[in-house]
Amino acid sequence: MRNKIILLAIVILAFILRFYKIISIPPSLNWDETSIGYNTYSILKTGKDEWGQTMPIHFRSFGEYKLPAQIYASIPGIYFFGLNELGVRITPVVYGTLTILFLYLLLQEMFKKKEISLISSFLLAVSPWHIQLTRGSFESSFSLFWFVLALWFLVKGLKNKKWLVASMIPFVISVYTYNTARVFTPLFLFAVTIIYGQYFLKVKGWYLLSGVIFAILTAPIIPFVLSGDAAARYKLVSITDDKGLIPRIEERRNLSKLPPILTKLIHNRYTYNTYYFSQNYIAHFTPNFLFINGAGHKQHHVQGVGELFWIQAPFLLFGLYLLIKRKDESLKILLPWLLLAFVPVSMTNDSIPNALRTLIAVPVYQIFTAVGIYEIIKQTKNKKRLAAIFTISAVLFAINFSIYLKKYYVDYPINYSRDWQYGNKQAIEYIKENQDKYDLIVFTRHYGEPHIFTLFNLSYDPGKFQNNPNLERFETFDWVRVLRFDKYYFPDLGDMGTKYEDIVRENPEKKILFIGKPGDFPEYKEVLTRIDFLNGEEAFEIVEN
């Protein structure tokens, strides 16, 4: 009973840390969250996405083809709470909290030690890495939820073969949730097949049935994975398609003093890609990423603290050391989980090290830390020494956690509102109140994708949008933008031909409302209103012709 109360308290704490001020922290819905929300709304209203595709398994969105699980899972939130911040973010809050519970159940199956299970669950509940990505609608955190559930079933299946089949369902859903999981999940299952090969031979009927189920349920995404659209999207971030790769190789070959054969053996596409992959992989194990500053992408991580608490470091290393020393059975699951988690991201060339694409690894670090804490408690026989260790560790954790809480809940929304595309909602609120006065509304795309913020914040009728005769899209670098729909026009007001004066000249009879960045308009124009980022810097100016 005592352990159940502690677990309940941990789950409640996890929910509070994820739900508190969820509408205002992060300070705005970003364009991916807004796209997820509007496509969910579109499915609810019309059964189609914003492109008019009926119940798709890939949502084209901005041309990056979002996987479907997050959007369909967001339907209850949008239905009950509406097309707003709460409607979009309540879904990750719920599954983020449930991940803590499922981690406890998984570890009870693996270790049979409630102390390790409870400590691991607590550490995930308060993890900066996990909190950050379960307070916004990030597909990677939903993928982790399904993976932890699947792994719980799989570990049960290593004792009761019937659970092997059950585990395939959440494994499959994880593949439909996030692009990284499309690589990681098959790799992990392949590794498990090799490690537990003898067991699977004994239960080969159930194993084959599980494999068939996985293959059948993932088959619908195979054509897209092999398509040109998927390849084009992958090329944007792949180390193998970096446009500067060949020029760098040629430059190094020209500068080399070695014999031609050795020069070609050293300086070629394969050696360079191997080097970049290794460099990216190792970057995710550095103290700077794990314990000091974390990832540099400001949407993915609160800046100035590590992805893990630095107080975890000695316990984490001690726990890992003991598990390896004892050749613990749990490592057959934990090591492939950790080591393969960084393979997909290492094949990319942007935002390295990356917290979003590697979130799936975060529970492993909490487990190693929990094992270290548990073993220190167990092995320290001197009660005074144990009390001293506990007191010092608790104080240091409290300091570490307090620093994080201030940085996230106080400093973060002010310092990084621009990175969250703050100001778009406020601009559209002005549009909503005044749009009947104007024939044309011009909204700069300088900050990116204003059309989706317009659709979302106006709760624009999806059916009307899908069939709008003024709808015009264009593609740049495999990214699709909406140039106009209805009476809304989304140019870059800094480009030649689409500046303020150009648009006024081309629409002489129209009353026009302009939303632009500072400097987009002539100095003589009266500014109707200004919208600032939360740090006081100016984001938008609104004028009329």
Side-chain angles (χ1 to χ4, degrees):
M1 185 65 182
R2 176 174 169 270
N3 290 316
K4 290 181 179 178
I5 293 172
I6 294 172
L7 177 61
L8 178 61
I10 291 171
V11 171
I12 291 172
L13 174 64
F15 179 80
I16 291 170
L17 289 171
R18 286 154 183 78
F19 186 71
Y20 175 66
K21 290 190 174 182
I22 193 64
I23 292 173
S24 57
I25 305 174
S28 174
L29 294 177
N30 65 27
W31 64 51
D32 278 321
E33 291 182 286
T34 307
S35 176
I36 288 169
Y38 188 75
N39 277 282
T40 302
Y41 181 68
S42 185
I43 290 290
L44 266 173
K45 294 293 184 180
T46 68
K48 301 177 180 179
D49 71 351
E50 63 176 289
W51 285 78
Q53 298 298 307
T54 302
M55 304 299 287
I57 59 171
H58 286 93
F59 287 76
R60 191 171 182 184
S61 187
F62 308 121
E64 84 284 32
Y65 292 92
K66 297 184 189 302
L67 286 166
Q70 186 89 351
I71 291 174
Y72 289 121
S74 298
I75 288 175
I78 300 294
Y79 179 82
F80 287 109
F81 298 105
L83 190 61
N84 52 47
E85 291 86 352
L86 181 58
V88 172
R89 289 178 173 168
I90 191 64
T91 302
V93 167
V94 170
Y95 68 64
T97 303
L98 289 175
T99 304
I100 279 81
L101 175 61
F102 289 144
L103 180 64
Y104 173 86
L105 297 172
L106 165 63
L107 297 182
Q108 277 298 95
E109 200 66 42
M110 287 179 69
F111 289 99
K112 305 294 185 185
K113 291 183 174 67
K114 291 181 179 178
E115 295 87 351
I116 292 176
S117 304
L118 288 171
I119 295 170
S120 299
S121 299
F122 171 76
L123 290 171
L124 186 61
V126 300
S127 164
W129 201 342
H130 194 252
I131 290 172
Q132 181 81 17
L133 298 174
T134 51
R135 286 181 60 89
S137 191
F138 291 103
E139 296 150 314
S140 65
S141 54
F142 200 28
S143 177
L144 174 61
F145 165 83
W146 290 109
F147 180 77
V148 171
L149 178 61
L151 199 52
W152 175 35
F153 290 170
L154 177 63
V155 173
K156 290 168 74 72
L158 296 174
K159 302 165 188 174
N160 182 344
K161 57 196 175 189
K162 295 180 181 179
W163 282 97
L164 292 176
V165 175
S167 72
M168 290 302 108
I169 305 302
F171 273 130
V172 167
I173 296 175
S174 76
V175 171
Y176 280 91
T177 303
Y178 189 52
N179 287 319
T180 294
R182 295 196 300 194
V183 178
F184 169 76
T185 299
L187 282 177
F188 178 80
L189 290 176
F190 179 71
V192 168
T193 296
I194 294 173
I195 292 167
Y196 290 97
Q198 290 186 339
Y199 171 74
F200 291 139
L201 283 174
K202 294 178 183 178
V203 295
K204 59 185 177 182
W206 289 94
Y207 173 75
L208 290 173
L209 177 60
S210 301
V212 169
I213 290 172
F214 185 85
I216 291 173
L217 293 180
T218 55
I221 68 170
I222 300 300
F224 175 79
V225 171
L226 300 177
S227 71
D229 289 326
R233 177 61 182 160
Y234 175 68
K235 285 181 179 180
L236 292 177
V237 297
S238 168
I239 57 174
T240 60
D241 291 283
D242 181 358
K243 292 181 180 179
L245 180 61
I246 299 302
R248 283 197 296 273
I249 293 173
E250 293 295 335
E251 181 185 7
R252 299 292 172 80
R253 284 181 176 180
N254 291 333
L255 294 173
S256 176
K257 305 298 183 182
L258 297 171
I261 294 177
L262 282 178
T263 297
K264 289 183 179 181
L265 284 174
I266 295 171
H267 301 289
N268 60 69
R269 180 186 291 271
Y270 303 104
T271 57
Y272 275 54
N273 283 333
T274 301
Y275 169 75
Y276 292 133
F277 177 90
S278 302
Q279 186 180 51
N280 291 346
Y281 189 88
I282 293 169
H284 292 90
F285 293 96
T286 62
N288 186 62
F289 174 68
L290 291 175
F291 302 111
I292 301 172
N293 287 315
H297 196 297
K298 296 175 180 62
Q299 285 187 12
H300 303 164
H301 181 61
V302 57
Q303 303 298 291
V305 297
E307 298 296 338
L308 307 173
F309 296 115
W310 43 256
I311 186 60
Q312 288 183 245
F315 299 105
L316 189 161
L317 293 172
F318 184 60
L320 176 59
Y321 165 75
L322 288 178
L323 290 175
I324 293 174
K325 182 181 178 182
R326 297 169 181 173
K327 298 180 180 179
D328 195 274
E329 184 72 15
S330 66
L331 290 178
K332 292 182 178 180
I333 295 292
L334 296 178
L335 284 183
W337 182 358
L338 178 66
L339 298 177
L340 293 175
F342 300 100
V343 169
V345 71
S346 299
M347 299 161 65
T348 66
N349 58 17
D350 66 322
S351 299
I352 299 294
N354 193 294
L356 181 71
R357 295 173 185 157
T358 57
L359 179 67
I360 202 143
V362 68
V364 185
Y365 289 116
Q366 318 309 334
I367 296 166
F368 289 156
T369 306
V371 170
I373 294 171
Y374 171 76
E375 290 295 339
I376 285 175
I377 294 172
K378 182 180 175 183
Q379 294 179 24
T380 306
K381 304 301 182 182
N382 187 305
K383 291 185 177 180
K384 289 185 178 180
R385 182 178 299 172
L386 180 60
I389 293 172
F390 178 82
T391 301
I392 292 170
S393 299
V395 169
L396 291 176
F397 171 77
I399 293 170
N400 206 176
F401 191 47
S402 298
I403 290 170
Y404 162 69
L405 291 177
K406 180 183 181 297
K407 283 185 176 292
Y408 184 76
Y409 292 99
V410 179
D411 301 336
Y412 183 74
I414 295 172
N415 294 336
Y416 303 109
S417 63
R418 176 171 183 154
D419 297 275
W420 281 89
Q421 291 107 44
Y422 180 88
N424 283 283
K425 176 183 177 180
Q426 290 71 22
I428 294 160
E429 286 174 348
Y430 186 91
I431 292 173
K432 191 173 185 178
E433 293 173 3
N434 297 277
Q435 62 179 338
D436 292 341
K437 305 173 188 175
Y438 300 95
D439 304 305
L440 178 64
I441 296 171
V442 180
F443 195 162
T444 180
R445 66 169 184 266
H446 173 76
Y447 296 112
E449 318 317 325
H451 83 277
I452 198 66
F453 291 104
T454 303
L455 291 169
F456 183 96
N457 289 291
L458 291 179
S459 297
Y460 194 90
D461 183 353
K464 185 179 176 183
F465 175 71
Q466 293 160 19
N467 300 293
N468 196 282
N470 293 329
L471 176 58
E472 182 180 345
R473 293 182 170 101
F474 69 100
E475 188 170 331
T476 56
F477 302 105
D478 299 302
W479 190 263
V480 179
R481 301 181 186 275
V482 170
L483 182 61
R484 65 178 83 241
F485 72 90
D486 204 326
K487 64 177 181 180
Y488 310 100
Y489 176 38
F490 309 103
D492 189 328
L493 289 169
D495 287 350
M496 293 298 295
T498 57
K499 293 185 177 182
Y500 169 84
E501 296 86 349
D502 301 319
I503 295 170
V504 170
R505 185 170 55 251
E506 291 172 4
N507 298 274
E509 304 298 325
K510 292 183 178 179
K511 182 72 171 175
I512 308 173
L513 182 70
F514 288 86
I515 299 94
K517 72 179 189 305
D520 277 343
F521 309 117
E523 292 184 6
Y524 63 83
K525 288 304 301 179
E526 178 187 355
V527 177
L528 301 176
T529 190
R530 288 183 170 86
I531 297 169
D532 294 338
F533 296 118
L534 294 178
N535 65 359
E537 295 178 7
E538 191 174 351
F540 293 102
E541 292 179 347
I542 300 179
V543 306
E544 63 184 10
N545 64 339

